[in-house]
Amino acid sequence: MRTFDYLRAENVTSAIAEAAKPETRYLAGGTTLVDLMKLNVERPEHLVDITRLPGLDTIEVSTDVIRIGALAKMSKVAADTDIIGAAPVLSESLWRAASAQLRNMASIGGNLMQRTRCIYFRDPGAYSNCNKRNPGSGCAALEGVNRNHAVLGTSDACIAIYPGDFAVSLVAFDATVLISGSIERRVPIDEFYLLPGQTPNLEHQLAPGEMIVGIEIPHVAALKRSHYLKVRDRASYEFAAASAAVGIEFEADGRTVRDVRIAVGGVATKPWRLRAVEDALKGKSIDEAMLRTAAAAAVDGAKSSGHNAFKIELTPKVVARALMTVGDIA
Ligand code: SF4
């Protein structure tokens, strides 16, 4: 049995000071960390309980920005009537994640920090060859069962997907991650997550001694007409085979695209913004045919590893369907 220290932090300053120690993890909802500790994937020596830090569970919706505290529960944000009215995609991406029990426990900050569901990563007893867990050891998924693995953003060192839903919405709408540490930092969420390259063990920009304290989403018009479509093997408590977070703002004619936001999940090593598809739609009057044509670019550069080839066919369909929903095209 492995032992670890446990400390309940009273404020952000003390939590950050404790977290600067090597082999320390924050404990919030615990819905990822405790799992991974039981699986012997995470082996922290110190746990800093941040569940009772004051002032980090707020939700604010103003005309300029939406701010969500890092300790707000997923279920609370998903059910917030201001969020539902102003930004349906944020609520929908939370409702479609995990299970009711997990959403009641899991925090927004912890949700951003969830780790991949790669079966080889999560089974160190059976598979030593995982570059993410054990740098330089190889990748069992490349020649293994890789149906649930990524087709975008991969490298020859790792093809694990980023598994979350909420961050896909945040990437589509240019959210900023608010970080406290020795300095306060604001990191665009598209830069917060790292591509695997040759260092898949490095997944994000958060450094030891730093803490996510919140997120900000610019309150743009396209949020109002937004949607999260998640396609999966069963209707609940399942990760995405492919998902799309989309939003559209039309010109006064109600058909010409003034602004459009698109990101996909379940198919890439990080939440994946589709700027080329967005650019193909801006200024155009949309119909089903042109949406399907534009959505084909969703998988530009995609690479199959074998079992996951179906995602290359599926992803443009998910993107087109999500856009048709927000565009009121049957
Ligand atoms: Fe490890 Fe990544 Fe390979 Fe999975 S895909 S076994 S996480 S290196």
Side-chain angles (χ1 to χ4, degrees):
M1 186 175 73
R2 293 179 60 86
T3 60
F4 54 85
D5 298 333
Y6 169 87
L7 176 89
R8 175 170 286 154
E10 300 296 330
N11 53 57
V12 171
T13 304
S14 64
I16 288 169
E18 287 296 325
K21 294 177 183 171
E23 304 303 325
T24 301
R25 295 286 185 275
Y26 294 118
L27 178 67
T31 53
T32 290
L33 179 63
V34 174
D35 265 6
L36 293 178
M37 288 174 69
K38 289 177 179 173
L39 293 169
N40 211 24
V41 173
E42 290 277 5
R43 298 149 63 97
E45 294 176 7
H46 313 283
L47 284 189
V48 181
D49 185 338
I50 58 173
T51 51
R52 299 192 188 179
L53 296 184
L56 292 185
D57 64 348
T58 54
I59 301 168
E60 300 168 49
V61 177
S62 75
T63 52
D64 300 331
V65 71
I66 296 171
R67 284 194 191 87
I68 303 173
L71 291 180
K73 298 295 187 188
M74 289 172 68
S75 55
K76 178 182 171 186
V77 180
D80 186 275
T81 52
D82 289 339
I83 294 282
I84 292 170
V89 69
L90 301 181
S91 173
E92 292 172 6
S93 61
L94 288 164
W95 278 131
R96 284 163 180 68
S99 65
Q101 294 91 335
L102 289 168
R103 292 191 295 268
N104 285 337
M105 287 297 294
S107 67
I108 289 296
N111 182 274
L112 298 189
M113 296 296 289
Q114 66 184 290
R115 305 198 69 190
T116 186
R117 307 301 293 191
C118 172
I119 54 175
Y120 305 103
F121 171 76
R122 292 171 64 86
D123 192 351
Y127 302 98
S128 60
N129 47 341
C130 171
N131 288 321
K132 186 181 284 295
R133 185 167 28 77
N134 185 14
S137 62
C139 172
L142 286 172
E143 302 297 328
V145 177
N146 49 42
R147 180 180 183 274
N148 293 325
H149 287 70
V151 294
L152 291 163
T154 59
S155 72
D156 61 2
C158 182
I159 57 171
I161 58 162
Y162 171 80
D165 298 294
F166 185 55
V168 179
S169 300
L170 298 180
V171 165
F173 285 90
D174 295 320
T176 298
V177 184
L178 311 179
I179 296 174
S180 279
S182 57
I183 58 169
E184 306 285 306
R185 293 203 291 146
R186 298 169 56 88
V187 180
I189 193 160
D190 206 15
E191 298 171 18
F192 180 77
Y193 293 108
L194 305 176
L195 289 168
Q198 295 305 305
T199 54
N201 53 309
L202 305 177
E203 298 173 344
H204 52 73
Q205 284 207 23
L206 198 70
E210 290 189 320
M211 179 191 297
I212 297 173
V213 293
I215 52 171
E216 282 186 2
I217 305 109
H219 197 164
V220 297
L223 271 172
K224 184 80 175 171
R225 187 187 278 266
S226 64
H227 176 49
Y228 187 74
L229 175 60
K230 181 174 181 177
V231 174
R232 44 189 162 170
D233 288 345
R234 60 185 179 198
S236 77
Y237 199 20
E238 182 58 280
F239 293 88
S243 67
V246 303
I248 281 188
E249 178 191 8
F250 286 123
E251 300 286 359
D253 64 7
R255 203 80 330 237
T256 304
V257 176
R258 177 182 293 167
D259 186 20
V260 59
R261 309 298 182 92
I262 314 166
V264 288
V267 294
T269 51
K270 58 183 267 185
W272 200 256
R273 183 80 176 261
L274 296 180
R275 294 187 190 277
V277 182
E278 294 174 5
D279 290 344
L281 297 174
K282 284 179 187 166
K284 308 276 175 46
S285 178
I286 60 168
D287 57 31
E288 178 176 350
M290 71 90 66
L291 284 179
R292 291 196 182 280
T293 300
V299 287
D300 281 355
K303 184 179 174 194
S304 162
S305 296
H307 305 122
N308 59 358
F310 76 98
K311 294 191 179 193
I312 297 175
E313 187 177 345
L314 175 63
T315 303
K317 294 178 179 175
V318 173
V319 170
R321 172 51 59 190
L323 288 167
M324 287 163 65
T325 299
V326 292
D328 289 334
I329 297 171

